[in-house]
Amino acid sequence: MEKGMRSSLADVSIRDSGSVEDGGCTTAARNIPISPAQVDAAKVVHRRPTANFAARFAKILFFAHLVAVAILIIFLSIRGFLGRNPAFRPAHWFAPLLTAAVSSTLVAIVWLLFVLRHPAKAIKASLWLAPSLVCAVAVLLLTDGGSSSLAFAVLGLLLALVQSLYGCWIVRRLHHAHEILSISIAAVQPTTMLAKNVALALLAGLVFSSIWTLGAGGVAAGGGSRFAPLYVLLLLLSLGWTMQAIRYTVLVAVAQLAYLSLAFGTETAVPVAFEAAANGALSDVCYGSAVIPLVVAIRGTARAMGLIAGGSDEFLFSCASCYVGIADQLVVRGNRWGFVYARVHGKGLGNASAEVWEMFTKQGMGRLIDTDITSSFCFLTGVTGGGIAALIAGSWATAADKCHVTEATVYAFIIGYFMTRIAMAWPLACVAAYHVVFAENPQSRRLGSCIPTRLRELRSSPH
């Protein structure tokens, strides 16, 4: 069957226009002469995921929130600048933040190119750049001298320490991380069209974050309003959800490209993949961008608590064990591999996440997934991008006007972090697709021996 598939794949012709009806849904697609061996691949290209009520509700809520935050930003901008605090200077607020946003976009592109060309060096660089830059940001905040600056500086130093210790702890995993990252990203060729679509995603993030600074500036200009913390919280939640939605749109599109290449040895048109992610899978993207980051945060803290607790039977540590159990149940209902499976098999994200996790368990891949550091690597690159943006904005604000140094530094860090994570959705999607394809067909010759070798290592290792 595999020989027949290989011979038939050579007959695939790609055109960028046309439409195909699949299951009553019409989507823009290529005209692909379909042979029997290619039926499954063709279904993947044109299948539209079935969103459940939660996903559809999340989509409606997402667009409603965009309208609401637009109104909030307009209100805060007018309110802040009409009753502006004399100490607030708009040029000293917007120039550093907008420069940091543009710089973070360039950093995101450079990081992505670095990962695609030199994945091993990129992984190692992230391990020492992230804590170093966070430490530098903390020192910058200490020079401001305010109580809020001190609080964020201490938080930054703790984060830098944790990242440094984590870098030492995962040394033994670096070889596998480099190997699987190199193999998986090779499945998606960096074409001009793909680069344009990723650039458009970064541009969308840049435009939204630039508009977002108007609202944040309105809060800063308004002085000590009693509702200021609430406004900031609402703005940060909106920024996080929107940037995550952009990131997961890129992840879904690139994951489809990687899956087709790894599973069938074929390709689909890049515009088709991004159109499917932005339209057909939008409900799941809106739902997942709100749920998955929360699940990842809970699971990360649960695993940290589990490592600290060890095998202790004390009451406090038994509570940690319960927390770990809850986190393991949550990850079954929402994870990034579910995006791959949902797009491939036309399922809702919740059901797809549960099925793909069950598949991982049956293949004995649970520990391999737990020890995979691709997500941590992408997080560290995000911290690196955020650190560079924070240093740019914080240094500028310190030199120009010592008012609002902390706010400008922290906001620039958050914007830089998300911009870099949007670009890093590309390699993360490739690795996620590689895991899913192996779980579906461990005997596939296209995947090599990377995962089987790692599974044997894990089975022979006591820890």
Side-chain angles (χ1 to χ4, degrees), residues 112-148:
L112 179 58
L113 294 175
F114 188 31
V115 172
L116 296 178
R117 294 292 299 274
H118 306 286
K121 292 180 180 179
I123 293 173
K124 293 178 181 178
S126 69
L127 292 176
W128 63 267
L129 271 177
S132 301
L133 288 170
V134 170
C135 187
V137 172
V139 173
L140 176 64
L141 290 172
L142 286 173
T143 61
D144 186 42
S147 57
S148 59

mmCIF file of all heavy atoms in Angstrom, residues 112-148:
data_model
loop_
_atom_site.group_PDB
_atom_site.id
_atom_site.type_symbol
_atom_site.label_atom_id
_atom_site.label_comp_id
_atom_site.label_asym_id
_atom_site.label_seq_id
_atom_site.Cartn_x
_atom_site.Cartn_y
_atom_site.Cartn_z
ATOM 1 N N LEU A 112 12.877 32.859 14.456
ATOM 2 C CA LEU A 112 12.311 31.808 13.622
ATOM 3 C C LEU A 112 13.323 31.336 12.585
ATOM 4 O O LEU A 112 13.500 30.125 12.374
ATOM 5 C CB LEU A 112 11.035 32.309 12.936
ATOM 6 C CG LEU A 112 10.338 31.323 12.000
ATOM 7 C CD1 LEU A 112 9.958 30.046 12.734
ATOM 8 C CD2 LEU A 112 9.104 31.959 11.376
ATOM 9 N N LEU A 113 13.997 32.277 11.931
ATOM 10 C CA LEU A 113 15.017 31.904 10.944
ATOM 11 C C LEU A 113 16.155 31.135 11.610
ATOM 12 O O LEU A 113 16.682 30.168 11.041
ATOM 13 C CB LEU A 113 15.554 33.161 10.259
ATOM 14 C CG LEU A 113 14.559 33.929 9.379
ATOM 15 C CD1 LEU A 113 15.178 35.219 8.871
ATOM 16 C CD2 LEU A 113 14.092 33.065 8.212
ATOM 17 N N PHE A 114 16.529 31.552 12.806
ATOM 18 C CA PHE A 114 17.589 30.879 13.546
ATOM 19 C C PHE A 114 17.198 29.436 13.866
ATOM 20 O O PHE A 114 17.992 28.499 13.709
ATOM 21 C CB PHE A 114 17.886 31.668 14.820
ATOM 22 C CG PHE A 114 19.100 31.192 15.580
ATOM 23 C CD1 PHE A 114 20.189 30.617 14.926
ATOM 24 C CD2 PHE A 114 19.158 31.331 16.958
ATOM 25 C CE1 PHE A 114 21.305 30.197 15.623
ATOM 26 C CE2 PHE A 114 20.270 30.911 17.675
ATOM 27 C CZ PHE A 114 21.346 30.345 17.003
ATOM 28 N N VAL A 115 15.963 29.241 14.293
ATOM 29 C CA VAL A 115 15.483 27.892 14.617
ATOM 30 C C VAL A 115 15.438 27.011 13.378
ATOM 31 O O VAL A 115 15.837 25.845 13.412
ATOM 32 C CB VAL A 115 14.095 27.960 15.289
ATOM 33 C CG1 VAL A 115 13.507 26.567 15.457
ATOM 34 C CG2 VAL A 115 14.186 28.653 16.636
ATOM 35 N N LEU A 116 14.953 27.558 12.273
ATOM 36 C CA LEU A 116 14.835 26.767 11.048
ATOM 37 C C LEU A 116 16.203 26.385 10.479
ATOM 38 O O LEU A 116 16.359 25.312 9.895
ATOM 39 C CB LEU A 116 14.035 27.549 9.998
ATOM 40 C CG LEU A 116 12.571 27.844 10.344
ATOM 41 C CD1 LEU A 116 11.921 28.666 9.242
ATOM 42 C CD2 LEU A 116 11.792 26.557 10.582
ATOM 43 N N ARG A 117 17.183 27.263 10.641
ATOM 44 C CA ARG A 117 18.513 26.992 10.089
ATOM 45 C C ARG A 117 19.416 26.230 11.059
ATOM 46 O O ARG A 117 20.167 25.339 10.653
ATOM 47 C CB ARG A 117 19.186 28.320 9.707
ATOM 48 C CG ARG A 117 18.516 29.061 8.567
ATOM 49 C CD ARG A 117 18.665 28.319 7.240
ATOM 50 N NE ARG A 117 20.064 28.166 6.864
ATOM 51 C CZ ARG A 117 20.763 29.067 6.200
ATOM 52 N NH1 ARG A 117 20.191 30.210 5.833
ATOM 53 N NH2 ARG A 117 22.026 28.846 5.882
ATOM 54 N N HIS A 118 19.347 26.564 12.345
ATOM 55 C CA HIS A 118 20.255 25.971 13.331
ATOM 56 C C HIS A 118 19.481 25.610 14.599
ATOM 57 O O HIS A 118 19.606 26.282 15.636
ATOM 58 C CB HIS A 118 21.389 26.941 13.675
ATOM 59 C CG HIS A 118 22.148 27.449 12.489
ATOM 60 N ND1 HIS A 118 23.058 26.668 11.792
ATOM 61 C CD2 HIS A 118 22.122 28.656 11.864
ATOM 62 C CE1 HIS A 118 23.568 27.377 10.803
ATOM 63 N NE2 HIS A 118 23.016 28.576 10.813
ATOM 64 N N PRO A 119 18.653 24.563 14.543
ATOM 65 C CA PRO A 119 17.812 24.237 15.708
ATOM 66 C C PRO A 119 18.601 23.921 16.969
ATOM 67 O O PRO A 119 18.207 24.331 18.070
ATOM 68 C CB PRO A 119 17.002 23.028 15.239
ATOM 69 C CG PRO A 119 17.696 22.515 14.022
ATOM 70 C CD PRO A 119 18.392 23.668 13.404
ATOM 71 N N ALA A 120 19.717 23.206 16.854
ATOM 72 C CA ALA A 120 20.507 22.851 18.042
ATOM 73 C C ALA A 120 21.067 24.096 18.716
ATOM 74 O O ALA A 120 20.997 24.255 19.945
ATOM 75 C CB ALA A 120 21.633 21.889 17.660
ATOM 76 N N LYS A 121 21.631 24.997 17.923
ATOM 77 C CA LYS A 121 22.183 26.230 18.477
ATOM 78 C C LYS A 121 21.081 27.115 19.055
ATOM 79 O O LYS A 121 21.296 27.806 20.065
ATOM 80 C CB LYS A 121 22.954 26.986 17.394
ATOM 81 C CG LYS A 121 24.224 26.287 16.929
ATOM 82 C CD LYS A 121 24.934 27.096 15.847
ATOM 83 C CE LYS A 121 26.202 26.396 15.376
ATOM 84 N NZ LYS A 121 26.910 27.163 14.304
ATOM 85 N N ALA A 122 19.916 27.105 18.422
ATOM 86 C CA ALA A 122 18.807 27.926 18.912
ATOM 87 C C ALA A 122 18.349 27.446 20.283
ATOM 88 O O ALA A 122 18.070 28.267 21.175
ATOM 89 C CB ALA A 122 17.648 27.880 17.922
ATOM 90 N N ILE A 123 18.263 26.135 20.473
ATOM 91 C CA ILE A 123 17.853 25.598 21.769
ATOM 92 C C ILE A 123 18.845 25.999 22.851
ATOM 93 O O ILE A 123 18.467 26.463 23.936
ATOM 94 C CB ILE A 123 17.710 24.063 21.696
ATOM 95 C CG1 ILE A 123 16.538 23.686 20.792
ATOM 96 C CG2 ILE A 123 17.498 23.475 23.086
ATOM 97 C CD1 ILE A 123 16.417 22.193 20.533
ATOM 98 N N LYS A 124 20.122 25.828 22.587
ATOM 99 C CA LYS A 124 21.144 26.174 23.574
ATOM 100 C C LYS A 124 21.168 27.676 23.849
ATOM 101 O O LYS A 124 21.331 28.102 24.992
ATOM 102 C CB LYS A 124 22.508 25.697 23.090
ATOM 103 C CG LYS A 124 22.644 24.177 23.035
ATOM 104 C CD LYS A 124 24.005 23.759 22.504
ATOM 105 C CE LYS A 124 24.122 22.244 22.429
ATOM 106 N NZ LYS A 124 25.439 21.813 21.867
ATOM 107 N N ALA A 125 20.999 28.473 22.799
ATOM 108 C CA ALA A 125 21.011 29.922 22.988
ATOM 109 C C ALA A 125 19.862 30.387 23.869
ATOM 110 O O ALA A 125 20.025 31.289 24.706
ATOM 111 C CB ALA A 125 20.945 30.620 21.630
ATOM 112 N N SER A 126 18.689 29.763 23.700
ATOM 113 C CA SER A 126 17.529 30.170 24.504
ATOM 114 C C SER A 126 17.747 29.886 25.987
ATOM 115 O O SER A 126 17.232 30.612 26.845
ATOM 116 C CB SER A 126 16.267 29.455 24.015
ATOM 117 O OG SER A 126 16.325 28.067 24.299
ATOM 118 N N LEU A 127 18.518 28.847 26.286
ATOM 119 C CA LEU A 127 18.725 28.462 27.685
ATOM 120 C C LEU A 127 19.554 29.479 28.458
ATOM 121 O O LEU A 127 19.397 29.587 29.678
ATOM 122 C CB LEU A 127 19.387 27.080 27.757
ATOM 123 C CG LEU A 127 18.529 25.902 27.281
ATOM 124 C CD1 LEU A 127 19.328 24.613 27.300
ATOM 125 C CD2 LEU A 127 17.288 25.766 28.158
ATOM 126 N N TRP A 128 20.446 30.193 27.782
ATOM 127 C CA TRP A 128 21.222 31.198 28.506
ATOM 128 C C TRP A 128 20.778 32.625 28.202
ATOM 129 O O TRP A 128 20.961 33.522 29.024
ATOM 130 C CB TRP A 128 22.719 31.040 28.221
ATOM 131 C CG TRP A 128 23.160 31.246 26.797
ATOM 132 C CD1 TRP A 128 23.309 30.303 25.838
ATOM 133 C CD2 TRP A 128 23.536 32.496 26.191
ATOM 134 N NE1 TRP A 128 23.733 30.875 24.656
ATOM 135 C CE2 TRP A 128 23.901 32.211 24.837
ATOM 136 C CE3 TRP A 128 23.613 33.807 26.637
ATOM 137 C CZ2 TRP A 128 24.311 33.212 23.958
ATOM 138 C CZ3 TRP A 128 24.026 34.806 25.745
ATOM 139 C CH2 TRP A 128 24.366 34.496 24.429
ATOM 140 N N LEU A 129 20.159 32.856 27.046
ATOM 141 C CA LEU A 129 19.680 34.202 26.741
ATOM 142 C C LEU A 129 18.488 34.592 27.605
ATOM 143 O O LEU A 129 18.417 35.731 28.100
ATOM 144 C CB LEU A 129 19.294 34.301 25.266
ATOM 145 C CG LEU A 129 20.381 34.699 24.271
ATOM 146 C CD1 LEU A 129 19.846 34.667 22.853
ATOM 147 C CD2 LEU A 129 20.950 36.071 24.595
ATOM 148 N N ALA A 130 17.523 33.670 27.775
ATOM 149 C CA ALA A 130 16.296 33.998 28.510
ATOM 150 C C ALA A 130 16.591 34.449 29.943
ATOM 151 O O ALA A 130 16.180 35.550 30.351
ATOM 152 C CB ALA A 130 15.331 32.820 28.488
ATOM 153 N N PRO A 131 17.302 33.656 30.759
ATOM 154 C CA PRO A 131 17.571 34.132 32.126
ATOM 155 C C PRO A 131 18.455 35.369 32.176
ATOM 156 O O PRO A 131 18.276 36.231 33.048
ATOM 157 C CB PRO A 131 18.251 32.924 32.795
ATOM 158 C CG PRO A 131 18.742 32.076 31.691
ATOM 159 C CD PRO A 131 17.814 32.292 30.547
ATOM 160 N N SER A 132 19.387 35.483 31.248
ATOM 161 C CA SER A 132 20.277 36.653 31.243
ATOM 162 C C SER A 132 19.502 37.934 30.978
ATOM 163 O O SER A 132 19.698 38.956 31.655
ATOM 164 C CB SER A 132 21.370 36.480 30.188
ATOM 165 O OG SER A 132 22.147 35.326 30.432
ATOM 166 N N LEU A 133 18.606 37.887 29.987
ATOM 167 C CA LEU A 133 17.838 39.081 29.653
ATOM 168 C C LEU A 133 16.829 39.428 30.739
ATOM 169 O O LEU A 133 16.605 40.612 31.034
ATOM 170 C CB LEU A 133 17.128 38.872 28.318
ATOM 171 C CG LEU A 133 18.046 38.885 27.084
ATOM 172 C CD1 LEU A 133 17.279 38.436 25.839
ATOM 173 C CD2 LEU A 133 18.630 40.270 26.864
ATOM 174 N N VAL A 134 16.208 38.416 31.338
ATOM 175 C CA VAL A 134 15.266 38.681 32.429
ATOM 176 C C VAL A 134 15.995 39.314 33.613
ATOM 177 O O VAL A 134 15.481 40.235 34.260
ATOM 178 C CB VAL A 134 14.554 37.380 32.853
ATOM 179 C CG1 VAL A 134 13.755 37.596 34.132
ATOM 180 C CG2 VAL A 134 13.623 36.903 31.746
ATOM 181 N N CYS A 135 17.189 38.823 33.889
ATOM 182 C CA CYS A 135 17.997 39.406 34.966
ATOM 183 C C CYS A 135 18.339 40.861 34.646
ATOM 184 O O CYS A 135 18.287 41.735 35.527
ATOM 185 C CB CYS A 135 19.261 38.583 35.153
ATOM 186 S SG CYS A 135 20.247 39.067 36.588
ATOM 187 N N ALA A 136 18.669 41.147 33.395
ATOM 188 C CA ALA A 136 18.971 42.519 32.994
ATOM 189 C C ALA A 136 17.748 43.428 33.148
ATOM 190 O O ALA A 136 17.865 44.586 33.590
ATOM 191 C CB ALA A 136 19.466 42.544 31.551
ATOM 192 N N VAL A 137 16.583 42.921 32.801
ATOM 193 C CA VAL A 137 15.345 43.689 32.971
ATOM 194 C C VAL A 137 15.094 43.963 34.449
ATOM 195 O O VAL A 137 14.689 45.076 34.830
ATOM 196 C CB VAL A 137 14.152 42.948 32.340
ATOM 197 C CG1 VAL A 137 12.839 43.644 32.688
ATOM 198 C CG2 VAL A 137 14.306 42.861 30.835
ATOM 199 N N ALA A 138 15.340 42.962 35.295
ATOM 200 C CA ALA A 138 15.155 43.143 36.738
ATOM 201 C C ALA A 138 16.078 44.231 37.282
ATOM 202 O O ALA A 138 15.667 45.064 38.102
ATOM 203 C CB ALA A 138 15.407 41.821 37.458
ATOM 204 N N VAL A 139 17.319 44.238 36.830
ATOM 205 C CA VAL A 139 18.265 45.283 37.259
ATOM 206 C C VAL A 139 17.790 46.658 36.802
ATOM 207 O O VAL A 139 17.868 47.650 37.555
ATOM 208 C CB VAL A 139 19.681 44.991 36.708
ATOM 209 C CG1 VAL A 139 20.617 46.153 36.995
ATOM 210 C CG2 VAL A 139 20.226 43.698 37.315
ATOM 211 N N LEU A 140 17.266 46.744 35.583
ATOM 212 C CA LEU A 140 16.732 48.008 35.074
ATOM 213 C C LEU A 140 15.578 48.499 35.938
ATOM 214 O O LEU A 140 15.479 49.703 36.252
ATOM 215 C CB LEU A 140 16.275 47.827 33.626
ATOM 216 C CG LEU A 140 15.588 49.028 32.956
ATOM 217 C CD1 LEU A 140 16.559 50.192 32.837
ATOM 218 C CD2 LEU A 140 15.055 48.642 31.580
ATOM 219 N N LEU A 141 14.710 47.599 36.336
ATOM 220 C CA LEU A 141 13.582 47.980 37.187
ATOM 221 C C LEU A 141 14.044 48.432 38.563
ATOM 222 O O LEU A 141 13.437 49.326 39.169
ATOM 223 C CB LEU A 141 12.601 46.805 37.312
ATOM 224 C CG LEU A 141 11.799 46.454 36.058
ATOM 225 C CD1 LEU A 141 11.017 45.161 36.262
ATOM 226 C CD2 LEU A 141 10.850 47.583 35.685
ATOM 227 N N LEU A 142 15.105 47.827 39.076
ATOM 228 C CA LEU A 142 15.624 48.229 40.389
ATOM 229 C C LEU A 142 16.109 49.672 40.392
ATOM 230 O O LEU A 142 16.044 50.358 41.418
ATOM 231 C CB LEU A 142 16.761 47.299 40.813
ATOM 232 C CG LEU A 142 16.357 45.888 41.275
ATOM 233 C CD1 LEU A 142 17.588 45.036 41.506
ATOM 234 C CD2 LEU A 142 15.507 45.958 42.541
ATOM 235 N N THR A 143 16.582 50.134 39.248
ATOM 236 C CA THR A 143 17.062 51.515 39.172
ATOM 237 C C THR A 143 15.930 52.529 39.254
ATOM 238 O O THR A 143 16.171 53.704 39.542
ATOM 239 C CB THR A 143 17.839 51.749 37.856
ATOM 240 O OG1 THR A 143 16.965 51.529 36.738
ATOM 241 C CG2 THR A 143 19.025 50.803 37.761
ATOM 242 N N ASP A 144 14.702 52.090 39.025
ATOM 243 C CA ASP A 144 13.568 53.007 39.076
ATOM 244 C C ASP A 144 13.259 53.414 40.506
ATOM 245 O O ASP A 144 12.856 54.548 40.761
ATOM 246 C CB ASP A 144 12.349 52.365 38.413
ATOM 247 C CG ASP A 144 11.183 53.325 38.296
ATOM 248 O OD1 ASP A 144 11.425 54.501 37.950
ATOM 249 O OD2 ASP A 144 10.034 52.922 38.555
ATOM 250 N N GLY A 145 13.422 52.484 41.430
ATOM 251 C CA GLY A 145 13.299 52.813 42.847
ATOM 252 C C GLY A 145 11.907 52.763 43.428
ATOM 253 O O GLY A 145 11.745 52.918 44.647
ATOM 254 N N GLY A 146 10.861 52.544 42.630
ATOM 255 C CA GLY A 146 9.504 52.490 43.152
ATOM 256 C C GLY A 146 9.168 51.130 43.760
ATOM 257 O O GLY A 146 9.873 50.136 43.550
ATOM 258 N N SER A 147 8.068 51.084 44.513
ATOM 259 C CA SER A 147 7.663 49.829 45.154
ATOM 260 C C SER A 147 7.213 48.803 44.124
ATOM 261 O O SER A 147 7.537 47.614 44.229
ATOM 262 C CB SER A 147 6.536 50.097 46.155
ATOM 263 O OG SER A 147 5.433 50.720 45.506
ATOM 264 N N SER A 148 6.468 49.258 43.098
ATOM 265 C CA SER A 148 6.035 48.330 42.056
ATOM 266 C C SER A 148 7.229 47.845 41.242
ATOM 267 O O SER A 148 7.291 46.677 40.842
ATOM 268 C CB SER A 148 5.010 48.999 41.140
ATOM 269 O OG SER A 148 5.552 50.161 40.537
#
